[in-house]
Amino acid sequence: MISVLERRGEGILIPLDIKGAFDRVWWERLKSRFKAKGMTRRALKLIKSYLFKRFLKVVTQGSASERKEVFSSVPQGGVWSPDFWDFDISELPDALSSEADDFEYADDIGLWYEITDENRAVIVAIINLDLESLIQWGNDNMTTFEPDKAAFMVVSQRKNPFDPFENSAGITMGGMQVKRVESTKLVGFTFDSKLKFGEMIDKLAKKARVRLGAIRRLKPMLDSNNLETMYKMFVRSILEYGSVVYMGASDTNLAKLDRVQKSAERIGGFTIESLSSRREAAAVSLALDLLDGEGYGELQQHKSQLIEPLRLSKKRTRYVASAGLQLKSKARTNSLDQYKRSYLGSIHKIWSKLPQTLISEGQVSGWCKIKKRAKQFLTGKWDPNLTQMSTKKIKNTNNNNTYNTVLNNELNKKDDWNAIREELKNQGISLNNNGIFTQLNVTCK
């Protein structure tokens, strides 16, 4: 989408809602599709066993209903559930026109249409036909789309953006008018019509501050190390959700996330790498994966091109030694500021920070082989000239006796696993060579 805006184009984003989603995965159809795609023998037998003889019952206020066998749905939170769901709707794109670009993640489905000079007059009609085709496909595949929850958003930075109602009755689905919105949530992200990501960052910062408040209340019971661990696990993970996607946001918006981390550092008395350096590390990690062919689906289309730029000599009359292996810049002089800051527009600058010795090693042994060190270099945790990693953590000057609490001692406790093993053995429980606990001599009275 950001590439469309970079071309000064426009597009229409349509998030769709499916009633029941995971609950409507019909097992017999799913198993037949696995078989049709070539799954055989033990793998197919495992899937059939997983989707066989499942029951459910309702428990409320201490009372339970009778068990009832079910023949559809996959468990919410199950490891295989999102993959089963994606496979079950894998034929959905066949119902769409070539103008549609569909994307799915878990139970979220979205459609993207780029508006061009060629399709501008008919794009609304194409979208309406696609939406009706989806309803028909859903009827044939026991999938119910909910038109009353559907919405569309015009993504544009033009002064007069595309208006679907200008030459038509607008976008409809199932005989109902699809409402227009200025922002929408899809696949875990909040998109606004100009892709500024301000609203999404506000939500992330607000959610992170709520969690930071809980950590602040634990400060009297935890030392600096444990407060830092709590922050990284429960707060920073919120701030960094989708960081490669929103890294093109303005400095003003990104500063809201930085302020949350600075507050955490003041509370916990620690200093850690900046969020901006971690965004750069995440971007390089993605670039290395794409260079190694690890991109999934259309993501591989964003693989960067390697080049060896030449430097001018001081006399500026001839080219001299190369400046090393670099990534070709996709940004132009007149590119949008948010595109220059985005992954596509800035990855070549981030790449140029990496030491050439590391890049040369990756070119020979594989790009993913250097991914860990590349990320550590950008976050200041690894220096190619040193054999040991350096950290920026400040020295904890607090008296450890101040934090002699049950919670803090439990977190800092180093278990003696040999003693635990002996204790379990005395209780008649043993750990075999496969790491499985087995009951030994048990006397029943």
Side-chain angles (χ1 to χ4, degrees), residues 83-99:
D83 294 324
F84 282 170
W85 164 253
D86 289 341
F87 193 83
D88 191 50
I89 62 170
S90 59
E91 297 177 1
L92 180 146
D94 297 338
L96 300 172
S97 66
S98 58
E99 299 286 340

Side-chain angles (χ1 to χ4, degrees), residues 2 9 16 29 46 62 70 79 236-237 267 272 288 345 360 368:
I2 187 66
L16 298 174
R29 183 181 66 236
L46 177 63
V70 293
V79 176
R236 191 172 69 180
S237 57
I267 293 171
I272 55 178
L288 293 172
S360 300
C368 288

Side-chain angles (χ1 to χ4, degrees), residues 95-96 128-138 145:
L96 300 172
N128 289 336
L129 288 175
D130 281 351
L131 294 179
E132 293 305 316
S133 295
L134 283 181
I135 292 179
Q136 183 60 48
W137 180 89
F145 290 92

Side-chain angles (χ1 to χ4, degrees), residues 308-346:
E308 287 196 61
L310 299 177
R311 296 196 301 259
L312 283 171
S313 66
K314 293 182 179 179
K315 295 181 178 180
R316 303 186 64 83
T317 56
R318 67 180 66 181
Y319 287 104
V320 293
S322 69
L325 199 62
Q326 300 294 328
L327 298 183
K328 185 177 180 180
S329 172
K330 294 183 179 181
R332 300 170 297 178
T333 305
N334 62 343
S335 289
L336 298 173
D337 288 339
Q338 66 191 97
Y339 183 83
K340 292 179 180 178
R341 295 189 298 263
S342 71
Y343 168 81
L344 294 176
S346 66

Side-chain angles (χ1 to χ4, degrees), residues 172-215:
T172 60
M173 184 179 188
M176 300 180 62
Q177 194 80 42
V178 178
K179 61 182 177 182
R180 180 173 180 173
V181 295
E182 291 302 316
S183 66
T184 185
K185 187 175 181 180
L186 186 62
V187 295
F189 298 95
T190 300
F191 296 96
D192 58 88
S193 59
K194 296 183 183 296
L195 297 186
K196 300 288 188 180
F197 292 104
E199 184 176 345
M200 177 178 176
I201 290 177
D202 286 340
K203 290 181 178 179
L204 293 178
K206 183 178 180 180
K207 185 176 180 180
R209 284 202 175 277
V210 171
R211 294 194 177 189
L212 185 59
I215 294 178

